[in-house]
Structure formats: C-alpha cells, structure tokens
Amino acid sequence: MIAAGDIARALAELGVEPSDTLFVHSGLKGALRLSGASREEKLATLADGLRDSVRDGLLILPAFTYSFTRDEPFEAATSPSTVGVLTEYFRGLPGVRRTTDPLFSCGVLGELPGPWSERLLTVGDIDCFGPHSIFAMLAEVDAKLLFIGVDFEMCTYVFHVEQQLAVPYRYFKDFPGTVVDGGESTAVSARYYVRDLDSDVVNTFTPLAEDLLASGAARSLRLDRGPRLFVTGARAVSAEIERRIAVNPDYLLRRGHPVAG
C-alpha cells in the first residue's frame, strides 16, 4: 500500500522542496493503492503526503466552483468544490483558508507571502487570471505545479499565461454576482479570459507537457501500482509557452474542432 511518506518521498525525488509552494491538480486514478480502508482514509493519506512534502511551505488545491457562470452566489464557507473529491476534502481540513475568487477559489494551507493574503482573501472585484490572481502569485514565487492522477491538460495556470500573452482566441467576459463571506453579501464582478466558443479551436497542453519533460523542466514518475506524478515549475511553463508561441501561435491549440451549440 502507498503511505503518506511514500508520496512525500516521491515528490522530493521530483524536486519538491519543503519550503516550496505546491499547487496540486488531482484525481483518484490509482487511489485504490493508497493506505486506508475507506475513501476518507485514503484521502487523508494523500493529503498528509502532500502536506509533508511542503511542511515549511504552502500547499494549494483548487476549489473551483464557477458559481457566477451559473448565476449562483458564491459562499466562501460552504460552496462545494466542483473539481474533484480531494479538493473538497482538503477545503474542509483544519487550517485551510479559501480564497474569494467566485470562479477559481482555492484552498490554501500555510502562510501566503507578502501582500497576497489581503489580495486573495479579501472580497472584491477580481480579474481571475490577472496580476492579483492566485495564478500571478504562483508565477511570482515560482510554485511547483503537481498533477497526480490527472493529465497535464488540467493545467489551469496556462490560462494565466495566455492572458499575459493576449492570445487572440480568448476574450474578457465579466460575470457579476454575489459573494457571501463571514455572513456578509457583497456584489462583485469576476473578469474571466474565456475562450471563444464560436471558433474552431480547443486547447491542448499535451505538446507542452512533452516539451517540458524533454527539456528537463518537468519530471514524472508513477507510484508503485498507483497514480502518476508530474511536476514542473510555474516560471518554466511560462517561459516554454512564450518561446513556443512566438514561433507557432497555435502551439496550445487543436484546430478543426468546433464546439456544438
């Protein structure tokens, strides 16, 4: 069985340091091999392994809800995460705080650096992938990006880089709504750099993952009969995308795949 210590040791082998900021996209693929008799115990094993790997740093898991896109209020304390069982489990752990972005909130365990606590935990208008977003913080601290049991196609950080580069297949769309935090309701607007659904393109990040591995900017391994781990750095992702898009503007795209409707 895979214990929490096995996960922490594997992450150390992949270059994760105890003082790092670690941003985790996760799935339960291969989770049957995790130590624990119940699903709750297996989730605890995985969460403990992640926490142990950055015991002096910062652990972040997405708790995305996309509430405003469905005209629903976002309640920081209660709106469930919609991006995986582990993310919802982690959100409820003691000491975990949730950022207030009503679309791309995250659970945070550890001390946020400098001004980021106020930026990320205060309710107000938000540019989801802008300079005060959690994704900008990941770039600033050169966070490690971990994918465990999911493909690199889940890399939300790429959207931040696309916004920085002003890619032509995305545009800004504002979503107004209500955030409820500490019993107080606040009207806010969330600005989201959305993909143009009328175009004939969809994102694909598989070539980016392959290029990061080939250059040594990413590393990967599989736990014994368990999930695969893929680790890279935020700044390495930014640099690789910027370099590749300068040569091929379609680097992150598949064309000829129109979206129905």
Side-chain angles (χ1 to χ4, degrees):
M1 301 296 284
I2 300 167
D6 298 323
I7 297 167
R9 282 188 291 274
L11 290 174
E13 184 178 338
L14 293 175
V16 176
E17 302 283 347
S19 60
D20 275 338
T21 293
L22 182 65
F23 186 85
V24 184
H25 283 293
S26 62
L28 295 186
K29 190 186 300 180
L32 289 177
R33 285 277 298 158
L34 292 172
S35 179
S38 66
R39 186 179 74 167
E40 191 84 0
E41 291 173 345
K42 292 180 184 297
L43 291 172
T45 295
L46 182 50
D48 287 346
L50 296 173
R51 285 191 293 189
D52 290 347
S53 70
V54 287
R55 59 185 179 274
D56 302 320
L58 184 61
L59 178 60
I60 306 173
L61 269 68
F64 306 161
T65 63
Y66 308 109
S67 300
F68 280 20
T69 64
R70 300 188 300 270
D71 295 321
E72 299 173 0
F74 170 66
E75 298 193 33
T78 61
S79 292
S81 170
T82 63
V83 285
V85 175
L86 178 65
T87 66
E88 178 63 8
Y89 172 82
F90 179 77
R91 184 182 71 81
L93 290 178
V96 173
R97 295 171 294 169
R98 191 181 199 175
T99 63
T100 56
D101 182 330
L103 298 177
F104 295 95
S105 67
C106 292
V108 177
L109 184 61
E111 292 300 316
L112 290 162
W116 286 102
S117 181
E118 181 177 355
R119 290 174 183 172
L120 298 176
L121 301 176
T122 301
V123 176
D125 293 342
I126 180 72
D127 180 346
C128 298
F129 297 105
H132 288 174
S133 69
I134 197 162
F135 303 100
M137 190 203 77
L138 297 180
E140 182 177 292
V141 303
D142 196 17
K144 298 288 174 51
L145 309 179
L146 166 64
F147 303 81
I148 179 167
V150 293
D151 295 332
F152 190 75
E153 295 290 342
M154 302 297 293
C155 188
T156 317
Y157 176 78
V158 172
F159 304 151
H160 167 69
V161 184
E162 288 180 317
Q163 179 168 321
Q164 284 188 309
L165 297 177
V167 296
Y169 49 86
R170 289 186 177 271
Y171 67 95
F172 287 109
K173 184 173 182 179
D174 293 323
F175 293 88
T178 302
V179 171
V180 181
D181 186 44
E184 295 187 6
S185 297
T186 305
V188 305
S189 178
R191 195 181 200 207
Y192 181 3
Y193 198 47
V194 299
R195 183 169 55 83
D196 183 359
L197 297 181
D198 291 330
S199 68
D200 66 343
V201 300
V202 294
N203 277 122
T204 178
F205 303 153
T206 299
L208 172 59
E210 293 171 349
D211 290 334
L212 290 166
L213 284 169
S215 69
R219 299 168 70 182
S220 179
L221 62 77
R222 184 180 296 280
L223 294 169
D224 182 26
R225 288 183 289 167
R228 176 164 293 281
L229 311 180
F230 181 103
V231 174
T232 189
R235 292 180 189 169
V237 171
S238 295
E240 189 73 18
I241 293 172
E242 185 171 357
R243 183 169 69 87
R244 297 283 182 170
I245 278 186
V247 177
N248 174 18
D250 287 355
Y251 176 63
L252 296 172
L253 302 177
R254 287 200 313 269
R255 290 194 175 272
H257 295 265
V259 177

